[in-house]
């Protein structure tokens, strides 16, 4: 193979492409792009197919497969109870729930994970991981196929914010990234029986970011942007293939793969004088081969763009970064040219979605800003899930009812908060701590 040959990659992720009515994991297949037409305008009284109350409280995103929506949640002052819940996608009615006792318990707060890891789903069932250390595989009917306890096997999770990393998957394995203040690792678990496929150690640093899987010349590759590095691992063996050091602030946003490009983000911006090979925070890598070996080249640096919580999005030739107050920074995906920096209608904790020629920024206060995809800022809609004048239910109650956040317990963290979204079959499934909203045309 010739040196510096650029390899063709895709986010088929070595997993069969899901049907249009599937959103099989965190950010779908890892790129946060949905096919087909999706609604661009809705409100509390227009466009909501249903709203479902959920047991407990959760910060994970929903996943969708063959007409069923799956979610996770925990309950109790110290997260004493865990849930996996299946809802009918058409009606919002609960089909079943699985209840268990999490192993590692801790008093909850808005800055400590509560069912934060998003599960993944395939034709055989749903795979769920919890910050209490429990890794569970269930059938589509809700029966346990296998269960593991990573805390008992490898030690308690250490750090002030808990574990928030979502699962990634290939056809035969799920991948769990544990970056914390104790012995850290990336674990590949066989879907068929829950046994280890491999386990590799990582540097002991805290992080909430999730792995993503790309395919390089037919071979899946696990990419982890977390805790100061971006690393590519061979999905079949766990062998480290390449590594980018000195990344700043990438403890929450995950990597996003678009073709042969990898977008990564962190909580700080770089100065105008820094080069892509210098201290890194937000930018783009190009996946290449040198001397027959997979590696990367720095592509460009997002000199102004910042990703605080949401993972960067690559869609229709544009890379989008959004900071903690809702400012969107757009760059040309190929060259890194700065296109615009404009404020949307609110802070985003959920990662944006590209669909139907539009980019959706799901604000944590229930307001979704809809942009026309392209190299110019063109916001075409601002859509609310709920009215904001009602008094909120205190967090930790049975519901996180809509309300005015300025008077809510916890200040800026007052419920309800939009944590995640799934897009499937022309509908958005938007999750707050204790409710799920289905938005349709």
């Amino acid at each position: 193979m010739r040196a510096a040959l650029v390899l063709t990659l895709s986010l088929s992720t070595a997993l069969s492409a899901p049907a249009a009515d599937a959103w099989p994991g965190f950010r779908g297949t890892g790129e946060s792009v949905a096919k087909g037409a999706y609604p661009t305008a809705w409100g509390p009284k227009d466009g909501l197919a249903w709203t479902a109350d959920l047991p407990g409280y959760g910060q994970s995103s929903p996943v969708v497969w063959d007409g069923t929506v799956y979610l996770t949640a925990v309950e109790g002052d110290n997260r004493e109870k865990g849930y996996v819940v299946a809802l009918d996608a058409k009606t919002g009615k609960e089909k079943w729930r699985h209840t268990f006792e999490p192993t590692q318990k801790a008093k909850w707060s808005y800055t400590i994970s509560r069912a934060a890891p998003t599960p993944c789903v395939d034709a055989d069932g749903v795979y769920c991981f919890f910050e209490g250390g429990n890794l569970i595989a269930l059938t589509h009917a809700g029966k346990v196929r296998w269960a593991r306890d990573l805390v008992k096997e490898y030690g308690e999770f250490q750090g002030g914010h808990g574990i928030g990393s979502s699962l990634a998957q290939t056809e035969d394995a799920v991948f769990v990234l544990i970056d914390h203040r104790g012995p850290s690792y990336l674990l590949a678990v066989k879907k068929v029986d829950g046994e280890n496929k491999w386990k590799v150690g990582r540097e002991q640093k805290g992080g909430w970011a999730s792995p993503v899987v790309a395919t390089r010349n037919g071979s899946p590759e696990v990419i982890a942007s977390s805790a100061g590095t971006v690393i590519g691992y061979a999905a079949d063996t766990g062998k480290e293939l390449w590594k980018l050091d000195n990344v700043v602030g990438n403890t929450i946003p995950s990597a996003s793969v678009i073709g042969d490009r990898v977008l990564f983000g962190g909580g700080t911006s770089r100065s105008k004088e820094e080069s892509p090979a210098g201290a890194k925070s937000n930018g783009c890598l190009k996946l290449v081969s040198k001397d027959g070996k997979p590696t990367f080249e720095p592509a460009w640096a997002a000199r102004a763009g910042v990703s605080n919580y949401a993972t960067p999005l690559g869609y229709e030739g544009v890379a989008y970064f959004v900071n903690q107050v809702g400012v969107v920074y757009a760059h040309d995906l190929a060259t890194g040219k700065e296109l615009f920096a404009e404020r949307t209608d609110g802070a985003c904790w959920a990662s944006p979605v590209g669909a139907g020629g539009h980019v959706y920024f799901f604000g944590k206060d229930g307001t979704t800003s809809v942009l026309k995809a392209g190299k110019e800022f063109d916001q075409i809609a601002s859509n609310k899930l709920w009215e904001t004048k009602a008094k909120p239910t205190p967090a930790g109650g049975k519901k996180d009812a809509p309300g005015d956040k300025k008077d809510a317990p916890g200040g800026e963290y007052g419920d309800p908060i939009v944590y995640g979204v799934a897009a499937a079959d022309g509908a958005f499934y938007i999750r707050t701590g204790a409710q799920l909203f289905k938005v349709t045309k």
Side-chain angles (χ1 to χ4, degrees), residues 218-293:
S219 298
E221 186 172 312
V222 184
I223 299 175
S225 172
S226 176
T229 61
V230 184
I231 304 177
Y233 300 87
D236 57 346
T237 66
K239 178 183 177 182
E240 184 177 306
L241 301 175
W242 53 268
K243 181 179 182 180
L244 174 68
D245 281 309
N246 303 318
V247 183
V248 179
N250 64 335
T251 56
I252 298 177
S254 305
S256 185
V257 183
I258 311 94
D260 64 354
R261 302 289 171 129
V262 179
L263 295 174
F264 63 95
T268 58
S269 60
R270 66 173 68 245
S271 72
K272 294 287 186 179
E273 290 73 29
E274 289 175 339
S275 70
K280 304 160 188 73
S281 178
N282 299 264
C284 180
L285 308 178
K286 189 175 185 179
L287 296 171
V288 301
S289 177
K290 291 183 179 179
D291 299 324
K293 297 180 179 180

Side-chain angles (χ1 to χ4, degrees), residues 398-422:
K398 293 184 178 180
K399 296 182 181 180
D400 53 351
D404 186 343
K405 256 67 78 210
K406 69 180 181 180
D407 294 321
E412 65 172 305
Y413 295 107
D415 281 312
I417 295 170
V418 170
Y419 288 109
V421 62

Side-chain angles (χ1 to χ4, degrees), residues 39-401:
T40 57
W42 62 84
K45 299 179 181 179
D46 183 20
L48 295 186
W50 48 257
T51 301
D53 292 334
L54 305 172
Y57 193 99
Q59 298 164 320
S60 57
S61 298
V63 295
V64 184
W65 190 276
D66 194 23
T68 301
V69 186
Y70 301 92
L71 304 103
T72 58
V74 292
E75 190 173 43
D77 291 342
N78 292 283
R79 302 179 307 193
E80 297 93 348
K81 185 180 290 187
Y83 298 100
V84 182
V85 182
L87 303 180
D88 185 282
K90 289 184 179 180
T91 66
K93 300 297 183 181
E94 184 174 315
K95 300 172 74 171
W96 55 260
R97 72 172 66 177
H98 172 71
T99 305
F100 69 99
E101 181 181 356
T103 301
Q104 184 171 336
K105 301 174 179 64
K107 190 171 182 62
W108 69 265
S109 80
Y110 285 101
T111 59
I112 298 176
S113 54
R114 284 185 284 170
T118 295
C120 58
V121 61
D122 65 9
D124 295 321
V126 60
Y127 310 84
C128 305
F129 174 61
F130 290 80
E131 61 278 329
N134 306 90
L135 179 63
I136 307 167
L138 302 164
T139 68
H140 287 292
K143 294 183 178 181
V144 176
R145 293 171 54 200
W146 50 260
R148 290 183 59 176
D149 190 330
L150 301 188
V151 164
K152 288 185 178 179
E153 292 180 43
Y154 304 121
E156 287 197 349
F157 303 140
Q158 301 175 30
H161 301 291
I163 297 293
S165 179
S166 299
L167 297 177
Q169 65 175 327
T170 58
E171 288 280 7
D172 68 342
V174 292
F175 303 93
V176 190
L177 179 64
I178 304 298
D179 280 343
H180 67 132
R181 298 299 180 185
S184 299
Y185 52 90
L186 177 64
L187 179 67
V189 176
K190 291 185 285 186
K191 288 180 174 180
V192 64
D193 58 11
E195 297 296 320
N196 282 6
K197 187 171 183 178
W198 49 258
K199 176 175 176 284
V200 295
R202 287 173 54 85
E203 187 176 355
Q204 294 183 198
K205 290 184 177 180
W208 272 40
S210 304
V212 65
V213 181
T215 302
R216 187 192 289 258
N217 275 3
S219 298
E221 186 172 312
V222 184
I223 299 175
S225 172
S226 176
T229 61
V230 184
I231 304 177
Y233 300 87
D236 57 346
T237 66
K239 178 183 177 182
E240 184 177 306
L241 301 175
W242 53 268
K243 181 179 182 180
L244 174 68
D245 281 309
N246 303 318
V247 183
V248 179
N250 64 335
T251 56
I252 298 177
S254 305
S256 185
V257 183
I258 311 94
D260 64 354
R261 302 289 171 129
V262 179
L263 295 174
F264 63 95
T268 58
S269 60
R270 66 173 68 245
S271 72
K272 294 287 186 179
E273 290 73 29
E274 289 175 339
S275 70
K280 304 160 188 73
S281 178
N282 299 264
C284 180
L285 308 178
K286 189 175 185 179
L287 296 171
V288 301
S289 177
K290 291 183 179 179
D291 299 324
K293 297 180 179 180
T295 185
F296 74 95
E297 294 176 347
W300 48 264
R303 303 182 190 279
V306 173
S307 292
N308 290 101
Y309 302 120
T311 295
L313 170 70
Y315 185 59
E316 295 193 355
V318 178
Y320 299 88
F321 301 79
V322 58
N323 71 7
Q324 62 185 357
V325 296
V327 176
V328 175
Y329 303 87
H331 295 255
D332 186 279
L333 183 59
T335 67
K337 179 183 177 182
E338 296 175 21
L339 302 174
F340 60 78
E342 298 286 348
R343 186 182 294 270
T344 58
D345 292 325
C348 292
W349 289 4
S351 295
V353 172
H358 299 93
V359 181
Y360 298 79
F361 294 91
F362 298 90
K364 74 182 186 74
D365 68 350
T367 302
T368 300
S369 302
V370 184
L371 274 59
K372 185 176 180 180
K375 297 186 177 182
E376 297 181 356
F377 181 81
D378 184 5
Q379 181 170 325
I380 65 167
S382 178
N383 306 316
K384 295 183 181 296
L385 279 176
W386 56 75
E387 300 295 342
T388 59
K389 293 182 179 180
K391 186 177 180 180
T393 297
K398 293 184 178 180
K399 296 182 181 180
D400 53 351

